[in-house]
Amino acid sequence: MPLLSSINAQLAGHQRLLVAYSGGLDSTVLLHLLVQLAKTSPHLQLRAIHIHHGLSANADQWSQHCQQQCDRWQLPMIIERVQVDGREKGIEAAARAARYAAFCRHLQPDEALLTAQHQDDQCETLLLALKRGSGPAGLAAMPAQLWLGDNPLLRPLLAQSRPQLELWAAQHQLDWIEDESNQDTRYDRNFLRQQVLPLLNQRWPHFAAATARSAALCGEQEQLLDELLAESLAALVQPDGSLHIAPLHSLSEVRRFALIRRWIAGQGGLMPSRDALQRIWHEVINSREDASPRIQLGEYEIRRYRQAIYWLPLRPSLRETIISWQRPWQPLQLPHQLGTLVVDESGIALRQPHADEAVTIRFYARGDVHIVGRAGGRAIKKLWQEFAIPVWQREQTPLLFYGEQLIAALGVFVTRAGSTEHQPGWRISWQQHNKESNDE
């Protein structure tokens, strides 16, 4: 199929397109192809976005080149500058994360993002997955279409080889930029591109096409497993998104791990390694009943509470945090997106603070607590357990103090010191942005 017709077929009816345009050969060819299509398909709405990573001394020149090219083609273009911090994950991963975050910020409703990865990139991705010891999900490499939130991501060049793109560029006298970092073989992908793949292609000229077929077959197998396991997974996932783990004990290890993988994918996580799955099973799911096990996966962690495991964003401890709340009691923003405290009629009823009582919000308390409606006191740890508050939510629940006296755990209990009996009252509402259920 001719290149232009192939690209048109890959668009699958999408009409609003945002093209990731680095200025290199691949994205230049993709953008030029779309410009040609737009001439005969006036319904196409085309924009380009260039990410300025600031990693090269030539980055400003690249942005200028891309802007000039889009001006010649009369295309609107966005230039987005990003900050790349490679100290934790490395430059490649950090740059990719910053790049895709920028794409998501600029995508409009019903707009598809198009990127220019091609057959040779797919081959490199599969080889890198082999290096990591990936299973079929990793070996499926890059799908031709996936979703970024509510927007589709399309890779319409995946079936095309780099020589095909070079031929198109030569025929149409296209200009592109060369990123000098592509020659740096310290990066794994460049090492494959510069030193490994030329040898493989010299011996087996169709090696890239063959690996692309293997990736596609692995993708089909994963899709089949998704369909076969969908009903079993739905039965295990609870309304709050946690995974009920008791039934997993009766399953084979292969089926058990396949379900855990798909649960993590459903939470938006990356596919865990086999070693990570073993750790989740032994260190989290099968730890002793009174433990508070956890395992970190990237920016998230998996924790167990009773008979379920939870996928949670990493948050720093708030144990030492004390937030002052002063008259006239304006809405109080809590840290780490935990929500807002508001004085309104929908909140919990409490006595008002006396004039000499400083009002603070804390996230940790200890000792015995006397709550409204109870004759005696009880350790706060026991109260958390009684009210089925998971360990991680205990340090994310705002505790209202008057002076050094605990008045309430908002949304959970009120102490006798906070009772409105025979005293003027007010109501405080904890408005949570992403309220997590405590149901088991």
Side-chain angles (χ1 to χ4, degrees), residues 15 54 68-69 190 287 338 358 369-370 403:
Q15 297 180 0
Q68 291 171 347
Q69 184 63 74
N190 289 345
S287 61
L338 291 178
V369 177
H370 295 77

Side-chain angles (χ1 to χ4, degrees), residues 303-333:
R303 301 187 67 158
R304 190 197 73 205
Y305 183 67
R306 298 188 176 175
Q307 287 299 312
I309 54 174
Y310 294 76
W311 177 261
L312 304 164
L314 287 175
R315 284 176 172 154
S317 173
L318 294 173
R319 181 173 287 222
E320 303 299 327
T321 299
I322 300 177
I323 304 170
S324 176
W325 197 13
Q326 300 179 352
R327 292 174 175 79
W329 319 116
Q330 295 296 322
L332 182 67
Q333 194 76 31

Side-chain angles (χ1 to χ4, degrees), residues 7 28 30 62 175 195 295 321 341 352:
I7 298 301
T28 298
L30 175 59
W62 298 342
D175 295 322
Q195 299 190 16
I295 180 173
T321 299
L341 301 187
Q352 290 184 354

Side-chain angles (χ1 to χ4, degrees), residues 84 95 137 145 158 270 412:
V84 178
Q145 178 172 345
L158 271 188
L270 298 177
V412 185

